[in-house]
C-alpha cells in the first residue's frame, strides 16, 4: 500500500516536472512558432538568479517567485529585441541564433560563477508515509505547477490579452487590420515565456542545484513534450506530459532512470508517428 | 475634420514586379457616402483596398485619411484611426466563436468591459444572430453567416471608414438583400466603400460608382449613367450581361 502511494506520487511528480519545464517553451513555440534553443538556459538562469539572490540574503520564496522571473524575463526581453524580432518567420535561422544564445549564456555563466554546482537547501522538510518519506517541497512543486497551468488556461481563454494573443497567433495580418500590434504581442509573449522558464528553474534549484550546463538535462524532454503535444497551446503539452510522465516514472522506478528517459523519447516517436501534428490534433482536428 | 474629404488618394501606385496593379489612382470620397467600386477581374480593386490599410505598402503616391497622410503608418495604427476592412478572402477566426470574433473587433475602442459586452450584444442583434449562433465556432458557420459575422466585426469596430471587398460573393438574392440592410446600418455611422459585381446590390446602395480598369479610374458617376456608358459596357457591364444572357 505504501509502495503504491509512493509510486503514484512518482507518477504525478513526473507529469508535473515535465509540465513545469515545458510551459515556457510551449508558450513561445505555440504562440510564435519560434523554436527557442536557449530554453534550457532560461531555466538555468532562473535557477542561478534564485541561488545568488538567496545567498545574498534575499528570502528564498521572494527569490523564486519574484527575482528569477524578473531577471529571466528581462534577459528574454533583450534577446527578443536583439535576435528573435529580427528573424520572425525564419524558423531555421532562429533555431541557430537561439542555439548561439544558449552557448553564449552557458559561457557567460561559467565565466562568472565557475563550473561548479551551487545550491540552496530544499525548504519544507519531509513527509513520512509508512517506511517511505517524500519531500514536502516536491508536493509543493506539483501544486505550483498545477496552479501555473490553470492560470495559463484562464489567461488564454478568459482575458482580453488571451483573446488578442490567440488572434495574433492564428492570423497576424488579420489581427493587424483589427488594430492589434502583433510585434508587441509577440514581444510580450516571448517575455512571459522566458519568465515562466525562469520560474521553473527557480523552483527546481532546491532539488537539483544549479550548474552552467544544467539546461541540457531539461531541454530535450521539454521539446519532446511540446512537440508531441501539438497545436493546442496548453492542453496539448499537458496531455503529452500526462502520457509521457507516467512511462518515464514507472520505468525509472522499475528499471533505471536512463531506461525511463529513453522510453520517453521512444514513446514520443511513436506518438508522432500516429499523430504527426501531436496528440492535440485528436480534438482540434489538426488545426 | 470638416472641409476634408474623409479619404483622398493622390497618384497611388502599387506594382508587383513589372505589373502595376494600381496605376496612379486619385480617388476622393466624402464623409457619409456609400461608394461602389466596380471593375472587371484583375482591375486592382482589392489591391487598392489593401494599399489604403497598408496591408500592401504603396509603391508611390499618398493616402490622405481625414486630411492626414497615412504614409509610414503600420496597419494596426491605421485600424486604430478608424479604417476597417473586410478583405475579399474570408477573414474570420475559424477557431474562435462568433462572439469572440466580434469582441476582438471591439478592442480598438476605449470602452469599459460592461460597455464592450453591450456593444457585442448590440452587433449580434444587428446582424441577426441569436445566442445559439453566437456561441458557435466560426468554422461551423454557413458561407453567408461567415460574411455577416465579418460585417458584424466591422460594425463592432465602429469605424469612420469601412472598406468592403465583395461582401455578397456567393450569396442568394435573399441573403444579398439582408446584407444590403446591414450595410445601410453600417453607413449610418461610417463612410462605406464597397467592391461588388452584383448590379442589383449596387443599384440598391450606391449613390456614386467608381469604375476601375487596369489600375486606373475609368469613370465616376451615378449608376444609371455608368450603365449607359459605352466604354464601361464594353469592358465590364457588357461582358457581364453577355455572360448572363448566355447562362439564362
Ligand atoms: N500579392 C500579389 N502579388 C502579385 N500580383 C498580384 C498580387 N495581388 C494581386 N496581384 C495582381 O494585381 C492585379 C490586380 O489584382 P486585384 O486582386 O487587385 O484585382 P481585383 O480587381 O480585386 O480583381 P477581382 O475582381 O478578381 O477580385 C492582378 O493582375 C493580380 O494578378
Ligand atoms: Mg478583388
Amino acid at each position: 500500500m505504501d509502495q503504491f502511494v509512493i509510486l503514484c506520487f512518482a507518477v504525478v511528480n513526473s507529469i508535473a516536472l515535465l509540465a513545469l519545464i515545458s510551459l515556457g517553451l510551449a508558450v513561445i513555440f505555440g504562440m510564435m512558432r519560434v523554436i527557442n534553443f536557449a530554453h534550457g538556459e532560461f531555466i538555468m538562469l532562473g535557477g542561478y538568479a534564485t541561488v545568488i539572490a538567496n545567498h545574498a540574503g534575499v528570502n528564498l520564496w521572494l527569490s523564486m517567485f519574484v527575482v528569477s522571473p524578473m531577471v529571466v524575463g528581462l534577459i528574454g526581453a533583450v534577446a527578443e529585441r536583439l535576435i528573435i524580432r529580427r528573424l520572425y518567420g525564419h524558423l531555421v535561422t532562429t533555431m541557430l541564433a537561439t542555439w548561439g544564445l544558449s552557448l553564449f549564456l552557458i559561457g557567460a555563466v561559467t565565466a562568472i560563477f565557475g563550473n561548479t554546482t551551487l545550491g540552496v537547501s530544499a525548504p519544507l522538510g519531509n513527509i513520512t508515509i509508512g517506511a517511505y518519506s517524500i519531500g514536502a517541497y516536491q508536493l509543493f512543486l506539483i501544486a505550483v505547477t498545477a496552479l501555473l497551468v490553470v492560470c495559463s488556461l484562464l489567461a488564454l481563454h478568459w482575458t482580453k490579452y488571451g483573446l488578442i494573443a490567440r488572434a495574433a497567433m492564428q492570423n497576424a495580418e488579420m489581427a493587424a487590420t483589427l488594430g492589434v500590434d502583433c510585434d508587441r504581442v509577440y514581444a510580450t509573449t516571448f517575455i512571459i515565456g522566458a519568465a515562466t522558464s525562469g520560474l521553473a528553474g527557480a523552483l527546481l534549484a532546491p532539488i537539483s542545484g544549479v550548474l552552467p550546463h544544467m539546461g541540457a538535462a531539461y531541454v530535450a524532454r521539454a521539446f519532446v513534450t511540446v512537440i508531441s503535444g501539438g497545436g493546442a497551446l496548453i492542453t496539448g503539452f499537458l496531455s503529452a506530459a500526462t502520457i509521457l510522465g507516467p512511462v518515464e516514472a514507472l520505468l525509472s522506478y522499475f528499471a533505471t532512470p536512463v531506461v525511463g528517459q529513453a522510453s520517453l523519447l521512444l514513446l514520443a516517436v511513436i506518438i508522432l508517428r500516429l499523430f504527426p501534428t501531436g496528440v492535440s490534433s485528436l480534438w482540434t482536428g489538426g488545426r | 475634420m470638416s472641409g476634408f474629404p474623409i479619404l483622398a488618394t493622390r497618384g497611388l501606385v502599387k506594382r508587383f514586379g513589372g505589373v502595376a496593379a494600381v496605376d496612379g489612382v486619385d480617388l476622393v470620397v466624402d464623409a457619409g457616402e456609400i461608394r461602389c467600386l466596380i471593375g472587371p477581374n484583375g482591375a486592382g480593386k482589392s489591391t487598392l483596398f489593401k494599399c489604403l490599410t497598408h496591408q500592401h505598402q504603396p509603391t508611390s503616391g499618398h493616402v490622405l485619411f481625414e486630411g492626414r497622410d497615412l504614409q509610414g503608418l503600420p496597419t494596426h495604427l491605421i485600424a486604430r484611426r478608424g479604417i476597417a476592412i473586410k478583405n475579399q478572402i474570408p477573414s474570420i477566426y475559424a477557431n474562435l466563436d462568433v462572439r469572440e470574433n466580434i469582441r476582438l473587433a471591439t478592442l480598438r475602442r476605449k470602452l469599459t468591459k460592461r460597455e464592450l459586452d453591450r456593444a457585442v450584444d448590440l452587433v449580434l442583434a444587428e446582424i441577426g444572430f441569436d445566442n445559439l449562433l453566437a456561441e458557435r465556432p466560426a468554422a461551423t458557420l454557413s458561407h453567408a453567416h461567415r460574411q455577416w459575422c465579418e460585417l458584424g466585426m466591422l460594425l463592432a469596430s465602429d469605424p469612420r471608414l469601412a472598406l468592403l471587398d465583395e461582401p455578397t460573393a456567393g450569396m442568394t438574392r435573399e441573403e444579398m438583400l439582408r446584407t444590403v440592410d446591414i450595410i445601410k446600418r453600417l453607413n449610418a455611422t461610417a463612410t462605406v466603400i464597397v467592391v461588388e459585381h452584383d448590379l442589383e446590390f449596387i443599384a440598391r446602395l450606391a449613390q456614386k460608382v467608381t469604375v476601375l480598369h487596369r489600375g486606373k479610374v475609368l469613370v465616376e458617376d451615378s449608376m444609371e449613367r455608368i450603365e449607359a456608358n459605352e466604354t464601361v459596357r464594353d469592358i465590364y457591364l457588357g461582358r457581364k450581361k453577355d455572360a448572363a444572357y448566355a447562362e439564362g
Side-chain angles (χ1 to χ4, degrees):
Chain A
M1 178 61 204
D2 295 345
Q3 192 182 12
F4 178 72
V5 173
I6 289 296
L7 214 52
C8 287
F9 171 75
V11 164
V12 174
N13 195 36
S14 177
I15 295 173
L17 184 70
L18 281 181
L20 181 63
I21 63 175
S22 311
L23 182 56
L25 187 70
V27 168
I28 290 173
F29 176 69
M31 306 254 301
M32 298 162 64
R33 295 288 168 238
V34 162
I35 296 189
N36 174 26
F37 260 117
H39 174 67
E41 281 59 52
F42 284 179
I43 293 179
M44 178 269 287
L45 289 169
Y48 267 92
T50 282
V51 171
I52 303 296
N54 187 237
H55 286 184
V58 180
N59 171 286
L60 179 64
W61 303 112
L62 205 64
S63 309
M64 290 199 302
F65 286 99
V66 180
V67 175
S68 283
M70 270 176 54
V71 167
V72 182
L74 211 67
I75 292 169
V78 173
E80 198 276 337
R81 250 310 136 80
L82 297 182
I83 303 173
I84 308 292
R85 172 169 302 190
R86 288 154 207 277
L87 301 175
Y88 276 136
H90 305 273
L91 194 73
V92 178
T93 322
T94 310
M95 267 161 63
L96 290 176
T98 53
W99 187 38
L101 177 65
S102 117
L103 296 178
F104 168 76
L105 292 173
I106 294 172
V109 170
T110 311
I112 299 171
F113 301 107
N115 198 5
T116 48
T117 307
L118 305 177
V120 288
S121 52
L124 300 177
N126 289 312
I127 294 171
T128 321
I129 299 170
Y132 302 90
S133 97
I134 54 178
Y137 182 71
Q138 286 187 308
L139 283 178
F140 172 76
L141 264 193
I142 294 172
V144 171
T145 305
L147 195 69
L148 277 175
V149 169
V150 170
C151 287
S152 318
L153 269 174
L154 290 180
L156 202 58
H157 288 279
W158 291 96
T159 67
K160 176 175 146 177
Y161 180 78
L163 181 61
I164 291 175
R166 279 183 293 154
M169 161 177 113
Q170 274 178 42
N171 186 335
E173 182 183 343
M174 241 166 75
T177 66
L178 296 175
V180 173
D181 183 349
C182 292
D183 285 348
R184 224 182 93 199
V185 172
Y186 287 150
T188 313
T189 305
F190 194 82
I191 293 168
I192 290 174
T196 309
S197 306
L199 176 60
L203 290 165
L204 292 170
I207 299 178
S208 64
V210 294
L211 190 71
H213 295 99
M214 67 184 280
Y218 300 115
V219 72
R221 280 188 293 165
F223 268 110
V224 163
T225 308
V226 171
I227 304 282
S228 11
L233 200 57
I234 305 293
T235 50
F237 88 88
L238 196 62
S239 48
T242 311
I243 298 168
L244 298 171
V247 173
E248 187 189 12
L250 294 175
L251 285 167
S252 298
Y253 186 87
F254 290 112
T256 67
V258 174
V259 175
Q261 296 209 2
S263 56
L264 179 144
L265 292 177
L266 188 67
L267 184 58
V269 170
I270 295 172
I271 289 178
L272 286 175
R273 284 298 276 182
L274 295 177
F275 313 103
T277 52
V279 271
S280 64
S281 59
L282 271 179
W283 62 90
T284 62
R287 278 198 305 272
Chain B
M1 290 297 147
S2 64
F4 290 114
I6 191 161
L7 180 81
T9 69
R10 303 237 174 95
L12 199 63
V13 174
K14 176 65 190 177
R15 267 183 234 286
F16 295 108
V19 189
V22 174
D23 195 6
V25 168
D26 298 295
L27 181 71
V28 176
V29 178
D30 286 319
E33 268 193 69
I34 298 189
R35 177 71 63 92
C36 272
L37 195 58
I38 65 173
N41 296 117
K45 307 179 294 292
S46 301
T47 307
L48 174 62
F49 269 12
K50 288 190 169 187
C51 285
L52 301 181
T53 56
H54 286 187
Q55 285 166 276
H56 285 324
Q57 218 53 49
T59 309
S60 63
H62 294 270
V63 178
L64 303 170
F65 177 58
E66 298 182 325
R68 285 152 82 192
D69 199 327
L70 295 182
Q71 191 149 27
L73 279 189
T75 300
H76 71 271
L77 290 183
I78 293 179
R80 288 184 199 174
R81 286 220 181 155
I83 301 184
I85 185 164
K86 187 208 98 61
N87 280 303
Q88 186 168 359
I89 48 162
S91 306
I92 43 174
Y93 285 102
N95 292 0
L96 305 182
D97 66 36
V98 171
R99 192 180 285 279
E100 286 175 320
N101 269 288
I102 290 175
R103 170 173 289 276
L104 253 180
T106 62
L107 294 181
R108 83 164 190 94
R109 296 160 68 182
K110 302 268 170 290
L111 300 178
T112 65
K113 188 163 181 324
R114 276 274 287 274
E115 290 168 327
L116 281 187
D117 286 338
R118 202 159 330 128
V120 172
D121 286 336
L122 185 68
V123 165
L124 285 169
E126 282 170 344
I127 58 172
F129 278 37
D130 58 17
N131 273 329
L132 219 62
L133 268 172
E135 308 306 329
R136 283 193 18 200
T140 67
L141 295 177
S142 77
H143 181 72
H145 281 89
R146 281 185 197 213
Q147 306 260 55
W148 290 328
C149 177
E150 280 193 63
L151 286 177
M153 291 168 76
L154 253 78
L155 284 169
S157 72
D158 190 25
R160 312 262 312 136
L161 173 65
L163 310 174
L164 308 176
D165 201 344
E166 305 201 5
T168 70
M171 283 189 177
T172 65
R173 185 163 178 278
E174 304 308 305
E175 290 166 344
M176 181 273 285
L177 291 177
R178 191 166 147 194
T179 308
V180 167
D181 288 339
I182 296 174
I183 292 173
K184 280 185 174 154
R185 153 61 198 89
L186 181 62
N187 183 233
T189 53
T191 309
V192 177
I193 310 179
V194 52
V195 167
E196 255 303 336
H197 291 293
D198 186 317
L199 296 182
E200 182 183 358
F201 174 91
I202 298 167
R204 279 173 183 272
L205 274 180
Q207 303 119 16
K208 208 171 177 186
V209 177
T210 300
V211 183
L212 210 63
H213 181 48
R214 297 200 175 139
K216 292 191 163 73
V217 174
L218 190 72
V219 276
E220 205 166 87
D221 218 325
S222 69
M223 189 59 193
E224 299 85 69
R225 305 261 293 271
I226 296 271
E227 281 193 279
N229 184 307
E230 280 302 322
T231 329
V232 176
R233 291 178 81 99
D234 281 351
I235 65 144
Y236 182 69
L237 299 173
R239 221 186 292 163
K240 185 100 182 166
K241 277 183 177 161
D242 288 344
Y245 285 132
E247 272 170 29

